[in-house]
Each structure stands twice: as C-alpha cells, then as structure tokens.
Amino acid sequence: MEQLPKDETIALRNKYIGKPCQLFFGQDPIKIVRAKGQYMYDEKDEAYLDCINNVAHVGHCHSKVVEAGYEQMKLLSTNNRFLHDNIVICAKRLVETMPEKLNTCFFVNSGSEANDLAIRLSQIHTGNKDIITLEGAYHGHLTSMIDISHYKFSLPGGIGQKDHVHVASSPCTYRGKYNTLNHKLEDICDLYTEEVREICENIVNKKGTGVCAYISESMLCCGGQIIPPPNYFKKVYAHVRAHGGLCIADEVQVGFGRVGTHWWAFQLQDVVPDIVTIGKPMGNGHPVAAVITTADIAESFRKTGVSYFNTYGGNPVSCAIANAVLDVIKEEDLMGNAIEVGNYLFQECLKLKNRHSSIGDVRGVGLFLGLDIVKNREKRTADPEAASFIVAQMKEKRILLSVDGSKNNVIKMKPPMVFSKANVDEVVSMLDRILEQLEQTSPLSRDTDKIPNGVERKV
C-alpha cells in the first residue's frame, strides 16, 4: 500500500482514532514505516535506535520469526479448539524453563488477558477476592486490570481504589517509602515486607476471609525500573501464603531472558510463584501470551465445570511464532548478550553518574535499566522536567528513550535483546553531551538548538 504523507496520517488519526489513544512523542510523533533489529525507520528512511521496545524482543522483523509465521499462515490459521502440534510444543518448551511445579499452560492474546486470567484462577482456587498490588503497578488495560493497577486508578481521572484492592508500598530502596536516605539497607526489606504482612492480617481480621492473591512484576517497569531488595519476594510470598493467598509473578515486560542470568526475573530472588504471566516478548510483536500455573490450580478451575475458551489464544500461527522466538533466544545466545551488553551498559551509566549530578541513581539488571534524574542528589529531589527534556533531545538525535516512575523522572531502557556495545556507546555518548549542556543551562533556557550535534550514526 502506498504510504500517506505524514501530515495526512496525523489528520486521519485525529479524525478517526479515539483521543485517549496515546502516541509516543505526542506533540511531535514519529511515523515509523519499517524496522530491523534494534533500529526503526521513519517515512524519510531515517534510522532511530530503539532503546525502549521490549516487544520486539529478538529484534524487529527477525527473519526466522517472520518466516515461521508466514509458513504456518500458508497452511492453517484457526482457533485453538482444534488439535494441533504447535500449541503443545510451545507449552512444553515454556514449562521446561520454569520451576518444576509450574507445569500447566493457558494461552491468551495479551499480557492484560494473562493477568486477568491469573486473577480469575486465584479467585476460583482460594475462594477469596482481596488482591494485594503495589504502588505504581500496571498490569494491563482490561477493566479488571485497571482495578489493580495503581499506576492508572490513582490518576486524577481514574476510578479510584476498590474495596477489594490493597496497595503495598513500592519496594524501591532509592526513592520509596523506606529508602537508604533514612534506613539501613539491611532493614529495608523487612520494613516493606512487614507492610504486606499487616495488609494480609487486616484482610483476615476485618473481612473474615483470606487473601486471594498478591500480584507484582518481578521488576517494576512503570513504577520506575525498580529492582526489589534481596529476599523481598521470598518474605512476601510467605506472608501471603500464610493468609490463604496465591502469588502471581507478572513477567509480561521483564521475562524471556531479559535479565540474562535466568529466563524469568522472579528467579533472581529464588522464589517459585503459584502463577506466572507472560506476554509482549513472546511473539516479538505478534499478539500471543500465556499463563503458567500448577496442576492443582488448573484442577480447581476444571472442577467448576466452566470450560476455558479463547478463540485466538494459542492458535497455530501464534504458537509457530512463539516457538521461533524461543529458538532465536537460544541459537543467538541472547541471554548471554543481555549479560555482556547489559553489564557494559550499567557500568557506562555509572560513569555517566559520576560525571553528572543530574543522575541520582542507576539501577538495572541485564537489558533492563533506569536512570533516576534529580535536581538535588543529596536530597534525591526528582526532576521530571529534566528527564522529559533529555528524552526529547535524544529523540531529536534519533535515539528513542522514555520516561516513567511515580515522579515521571526515570529514564527507561528496555531495548531489543540484540542491542550491542556499539549501541551502548552511542546512547551514552549522546546522553553525556545532553547532560553536560543541561547542567550548564537553566530550565527556562533549555532549547533544542543548544544541544550539540549527534555522534555519527552507524547503522
């Protein structure tokens, strides 16, 4: 199909697409027409280095993934109520990456659906309703997920907190309720987990029931690229289970080897959830996701007599693509790349922090990293304006970053797993230049024209 001029695309979007549908860089959106590896190309064929697209996990338009979908689509594309090899092979391969007791799969279309089903399974298995979620959490766009996503329901125009939803503090050691400014690092984990225990007790004492589930991303993305302190999940899971609840690990954004050392980020804390939800990277851009749980929890669902039917979840094409993604992760040693390049990125960002007082904290594991941008490092005063400015200037230099966190001051990096050390050098070099200029100017005088020209791009 012939490409429309960018201004016509914008006009049509404004006319026909719902206004709440958000675009990256909404005031000056980029029109992307093709992508390959870690690069995206606009209508002028200018390359943008993608540092944020954790959907294109093994690289945009990977030839093996595209071919797998194409070949299967030529043969059969139907729903999962017909017997087919692809779904059972995919389920087997996913289970083999999990702890032994997580041995049963349900296939869905998205991370939102996966988390919705996880809550449904928890309600059925426990007979309880009350959910514990985290401050700043986001688990999807379905109504049931907005209910438990503090990131959304707490907004001025949000729905507010429902009676069955309980919010625990985000376990951030840098900016959270309990942080290293005011507490010893070794005490912080107990302070956060004690809060979860108290929530559990309050549910039992006030409602006369038990907990339904505790749900958390294994590393918090929208909450600000947060790595929970060691043993946090181990202690939280013990409290939740002691009060009748299940523990759900949301791996939709952080799974499939992004941490490098393990397939799943929850494995960093040596815990075994009762339910794991996966999505985004699973299809490398194709809509496919899954819930992986225990045989006992699945049996509770079966006993209701209500069968589970998802028209497209686990269809032959989706599972062919998911199997190809698993192949590529192994064949190209992308977990090894996440370790090597991720460590390099972390160390180079620490050097940036040493040179620039605007960086208050660098945190991350593998190809998952956040820069906490501050006005005052000693007081850890968040600087959302500076963070947004940096992202905007990086975009002008055709490097794509994004901002998130409770104060909108954390620059996020979750690039495709094919990210290279050369890419790190390009990002860090440009950040260095922009931060230097930023720290020499007042907020009112910050202007695109004052940012140095970019380094030479090598695509």
Side-chain angles (χ1 to χ4, degrees):
M1 186 176 72
E2 185 177 348
Q3 291 291 332
L4 299 173
K6 181 178 177 180
D7 59 352
E8 188 173 340
T9 305
I10 291 172
L12 288 171
R13 183 180 177 92
N14 289 338
K15 184 175 182 179
Y16 294 112
I17 304 297
K19 295 299 186 291
C21 297
Q22 193 176 44
L23 280 170
F24 281 122
F25 313 105
Q27 297 301 313
D28 184 22
I30 307 169
K31 182 176 180 180
I32 297 297
V33 299
R34 67 182 183 92
K36 188 69 175 175
Q38 61 272 55
Y39 293 95
M40 305 176 78
Y41 299 82
D42 68 11
E43 78 282 4
K44 298 176 183 177
D45 210 36
E46 292 184 343
Y48 289 79
L49 179 59
D50 184 0
C51 304
I52 55 176
N53 208 318
N54 60 327
V55 179
H57 192 64
V58 300
H60 291 277
C61 302
H62 192 288
S63 58
K64 182 161 186 170
V65 176
V66 172
E67 185 69 16
Y70 169 68
E71 289 298 329
Q72 181 56 54
M73 200 175 294
K74 287 195 301 182
L75 292 173
L76 176 69
S77 180
T78 187
N79 70 62
N80 69 6
R81 297 184 79 177
F82 292 100
L83 187 64
H84 197 274
D85 289 347
N86 287 0
I87 187 172
V88 295
I89 291 170
C90 189
K92 177 177 182 292
R93 295 180 70 181
L94 290 172
V95 163
E96 288 172 347
T97 68
M98 294 279 173
E100 186 175 358
K101 80 168 191 174
L102 294 167
N103 54 21
T104 305
C105 291
F106 294 84
F107 285 85
V108 294
N109 298 304
S110 69
S112 295
E113 281 194 354
N115 284 327
D116 177 80
L117 179 56
I119 296 299
R120 184 178 175 188
L121 288 168
S122 300
Q123 291 171 339
I124 291 168
H125 188 71
T126 66
N128 299 324
K129 186 178 180 182
D130 288 77
I131 307 293
I132 302 172
T133 186
L134 289 179
E135 173 191 16
Y138 176 69
H139 295 291
H141 63 82
L142 301 182
T143 300
S144 60
M145 293 299 100
I146 296 299
D147 285 351
I148 64 171
S149 295
H150 179 260
Y151 180 79
K152 290 290 186 181
F153 73 64
S154 63
L155 293 172
I159 61 173
Q161 186 171 339
K162 298 287 185 69
D163 183 60
H164 71 285
V165 176
H166 309 267
V167 181
S169 296
S170 173
C172 178
T173 61
Y174 180 77
R175 186 173 295 288
K177 180 178 179 180
Y178 307 112
N179 59 68
T180 51
L181 267 183
N182 304 312
H183 300 88
K184 293 180 180 179
L185 182 60
E186 56 267 28
D187 296 334
I188 289 176
C189 178
D190 286 339
L191 290 167
Y192 279 123
T193 57
E194 177 65 13
E195 189 175 294
V196 175
R197 186 193 65 78
E198 290 176 357
I199 291 173
C200 292
E201 286 196 354
N202 286 338
I203 291 170
V204 173
N205 293 336
K206 291 182 179 180
K207 297 194 175 185
T209 61
V211 175
C212 173
Y214 165 90
I215 183 169
S216 173
E217 290 181 286
S218 302
M219 301 187 296
L220 282 66
C221 298
C222 292
Q225 302 293 92
I226 293 165
I227 316 297
N231 294 318
Y232 172 79
F233 285 122
K234 189 167 287 188
K235 293 182 178 183
V236 164
Y237 282 17
H239 293 320
V240 171
R241 287 167 173 159
H243 293 84
L246 299 182
C247 300
I248 303 169
D250 181 340
E251 293 273 338
V252 172
Q253 297 203 63
V254 299
F256 285 93
R258 179 162 292 278
V259 298
T261 53
H262 301 82
W263 271 97
W264 311 105
F266 70 77
Q267 293 171 313
L268 293 171
Q269 295 224 351
D270 191 29
V271 293
V272 180
D274 300 294
I275 303 174
V276 179
T277 58
I278 58 179
K280 292 184 192 297
M282 186 173 172
N284 211 55
H286 184 87
V288 59
V291 175
I292 302 176
T293 187
T294 69
D296 286 345
I297 293 171
E299 177 64 9
S300 294
F301 194 176
R302 186 195 67 79
K303 287 179 178 178
T304 66
V306 180
S307 63
Y308 183 73
F309 172 43
N310 186 308
T311 303
Y312 296 114
N315 72 79
V317 175
S318 294
C319 287
I321 289 170
N323 283 325
V325 169
L326 292 170
D327 288 339
V328 173
I329 292 171
K330 288 189 175 182
E331 291 168 2
E332 298 185 8
D333 189 24
L334 293 184
M335 291 172 66
N337 190 65
I339 295 173
E340 183 177 358
V341 177
N343 287 343
Y344 182 65
L345 173 63
F346 188 83
Q347 293 302 320
E348 291 301 299
C349 285
L350 285 180
K351 293 177 185 176
L352 267 186
K353 178 187 172 185
N354 291 336
R355 293 195 294 271
H356 299 287
S357 60
S358 295
I359 300 177
D361 190 36
V362 178
R363 48 184 178 263
V365 180
L367 287 174
F368 176 95
L369 184 132
L371 302 177
D372 200 301
I373 306 301
V374 297
K375 295 177 183 177
N376 183 298
R377 187 180 284 178
E378 285 68 36
K379 296 180 180 179
R380 302 184 182 180
T381 311
D383 196 342
E385 293 82 10
S388 295
F389 178 79
I390 292 164
V391 168
Q393 299 312 307
M394 292 291 280
K395 177 237 182 185
E396 291 300 313
K397 305 306 175 186
R398 305 201 304 279
I399 298 173
L400 303 182
L401 299 170
S402 65
V403 173
D404 233 320
S406 62
K407 304 293 185 181
N408 291 313
N409 73 309
V410 179
I411 295 176
K412 302 195 302 185
M413 295 190 211
K414 293 180 293 180
M417 294 275 280
V418 292
F419 214 65
S420 69
K421 288 185 176 179
N423 297 145
V424 171
D425 290 339
E426 182 175 0
V427 172
V428 171
S429 175
M430 189 57 65
L431 279 171
D432 194 20
R433 296 182 183 206
I434 291 172
L435 285 164
E436 182 177 356
Q437 187 66 40
L438 175 78
E439 291 166 359
Q440 292 173 358
T441 59
S442 69
L444 293 177
S445 64
R446 291 171 188 167
D447 196 309
T448 309
D449 297 338
K450 296 181 180 178
I451 301 301
N453 290 330
V455 295
E456 181 184 353
R457 299 187 59 78
K458 297 179 181 179
V459 181

